[in-house]
Amino acid sequence: MAAALRVLLATAWLLSGVLASSAQNYPSKPVRVVVGFPAGGPTDAIARIVAQKLADNLGQQFFVENIGGAGGNTAAGQVARVTPDGYTIMVVSTGFVVNPSLYAKVPYDPVKDFVPVTLVAVSPNVVVVNPQVPAKTLPELVQLVRDNPGKYSFAGPGVGSTPHLGGELFRLAFKLDLVHVPFTGAAPAIQATIGGHTPIAFTALPPALSAVQSGQLRALGVASTERAAGLPDVPAFAEQGIKDQEADTLTGIVAPAGTPKEIVDLLHREIARIVAQPDVKERLTTLGFKAVVNTPDQFGARIKLEMDKWGKVVRDAKLRIE
């Protein structure tokens, strides 16, 4: 038993030495940037912006690999178990912190299996309605639903998505008879609302922008404490007296637990420089996101905060995916 323990300790010591040495020369080979969703979505788009800039700045290829499945769980489970040498990192969205509460079983722990690098960008949810809906403000929408129990439903891009949970938080806070209609993504949810099949939609800002700007949908409020750059004329929830309803779609970067601190710090510094660049800020704004960089510790605290917040909504709304 003692001999086995000595072997394990020696192995761990050798591995720590190898990782420390590799950190000094990082990156010396291409770096895999995993995204848990198919190509083309906002998480993928942001990953590609950051990856290209990292490659330009650090002189090694940072290539995006899309691993879809189970709302990002498949990718997170795989990344959690790779060698923590900095050559695999992951771009995550809010589902990363929601899924452990929502799914009966997930193959990772957001806190134990990963080390946070930085938040990159946030995008608030937005409440939109078909123009035929008479409500012009969120308080008017609350009253309309209360006056017509069983009549109104809201579209969302899938069970457990941030917009869905934001809608559930809204419903629970005001004790509304409001039914969620899940779709396979934001685009079909928005189209259903444009067509009047579902009169209301809770959605992330990016996929709703063009429909609001063209007048196909009316935006009633942004789920934030401040207005969104993409919809400057739409008041925030807080402006309309609706408190504690903030619902952001987060995009951040994590690495497997055990990744050397020197590598994490290097990635954080480089990404902070990248996101501060005017052209990157402009591209993020076009996508409906606001650039937000914080420290690894701050991002770690935000992960725990979001887990607690949305975990409560999942439990209160009795949501579960087996």
Side-chain angles (χ1 to χ4, degrees):
M1 193 71 176
L5 180 60
R6 285 195 296 272
V7 170
L8 286 172
L9 290 173
T11 302
W13 180 80
L14 285 171
L15 179 60
S16 67
V18 170
L19 290 177
S21 176
S22 65
Q24 296 175 2
N25 303 312
Y26 179 87
S28 59
K29 61 182 180 180
V31 178
R32 185 169 66 133
V33 182
V34 174
V35 174
F37 307 98
T43 306
D44 175 73
I46 293 172
R48 292 178 188 278
I49 292 170
V50 173
Q52 183 58 59
K53 291 286 187 177
L54 283 171
D56 293 343
N57 293 352
L58 296 177
Q60 282 289 345
Q61 183 185 13
F62 281 70
F63 65 95
V64 173
E65 181 178 336
N66 300 91
I67 304 174
N73 291 345
T74 301
Q78 291 184 21
V79 174
R81 285 154 186 80
V82 303
T83 302
D85 57 6
Y87 290 95
T88 298
I89 60 177
M90 185 173 180
V91 181
V92 298
S93 66
T94 308
F96 177 74
V97 298
V98 170
N99 291 352
S101 297
L102 179 66
Y103 284 76
K105 185 177 181 180
V106 294
Y108 70 96
D109 183 305
V111 176
K112 294 179 180 178
D113 293 336
F114 291 90
V115 57
V117 177
T118 186
L119 192 60
V120 174
V122 299
S123 180
N125 289 343
V126 61
V127 182
V128 296
V129 297
N130 182 280
Q132 298 303 311
V133 173
K136 302 294 194 299
T137 66
L138 289 173
E140 288 181 8
L141 181 65
V142 169
Q143 194 59 50
L144 179 67
V145 175
R146 283 177 173 168
D147 291 345
N148 297 273
K151 179 179 178 181
Y152 286 95
S153 61
F154 74 93
V159 174
S161 62
T162 312
H164 171 214
L165 296 182
E168 293 290 351
L169 183 61
F170 188 81
R171 178 183 68 81
L172 291 165
F174 293 101
K175 299 179 173 59
L176 301 177
D177 185 359
L178 188 61
V179 177
H180 173 235
V181 180
F183 288 84
T184 55
I190 289 168
Q191 287 303 314
T193 308
I194 291 173
H197 308 297
T198 48
I200 307 162
F202 282 72
T203 176
L205 177 59
L209 266 177
S210 62
V212 173
Q213 292 167 344
S214 66
Q216 293 176 294
L217 294 175
R218 180 192 307 127
L220 302 188
V222 176
S224 176
T225 56
E226 59 184 28
R227 299 192 181 199
L231 294 175
D233 297 329
V234 179
F237 275 34
E239 290 181 73
Q240 302 183 61
I242 297 175
K243 308 295 184 182
D244 302 319
Q245 293 274 317
E246 290 78 23
D248 289 324
T249 294
L250 308 179
T251 302
I253 294 178
V254 297
T259 300
K261 184 177 185 300
E262 295 88 346
I263 291 178
V264 172
D265 290 344
L266 171 64
L267 288 170
H268 170 258
R269 289 194 303 270
E270 289 297 328
I271 294 168
R273 287 175 52 204
I274 289 165
V275 175
Q277 294 174 5
D279 64 317
V280 174
K281 285 185 175 181
E282 183 178 349
R283 291 170 72 182
L284 291 174
T285 299
T286 301
L287 289 170
F289 282 79
K290 176 183 178 182
V292 179
V293 172
N294 55 13
T295 67
D297 286 345
Q298 289 170 333
F299 187 31
R302 180 69 182 269
I303 286 172
K304 292 176 182 177
L305 178 69
E306 296 286 324
M307 288 177 69
D308 291 342
K309 174 181 179 177
W310 296 121
K312 184 178 187 305
V313 174
V314 167
R315 291 189 297 273
D316 290 349
K318 297 180 174 57
L319 304 175
R320 199 67 166 171
I321 297 177
E322 297 297 332

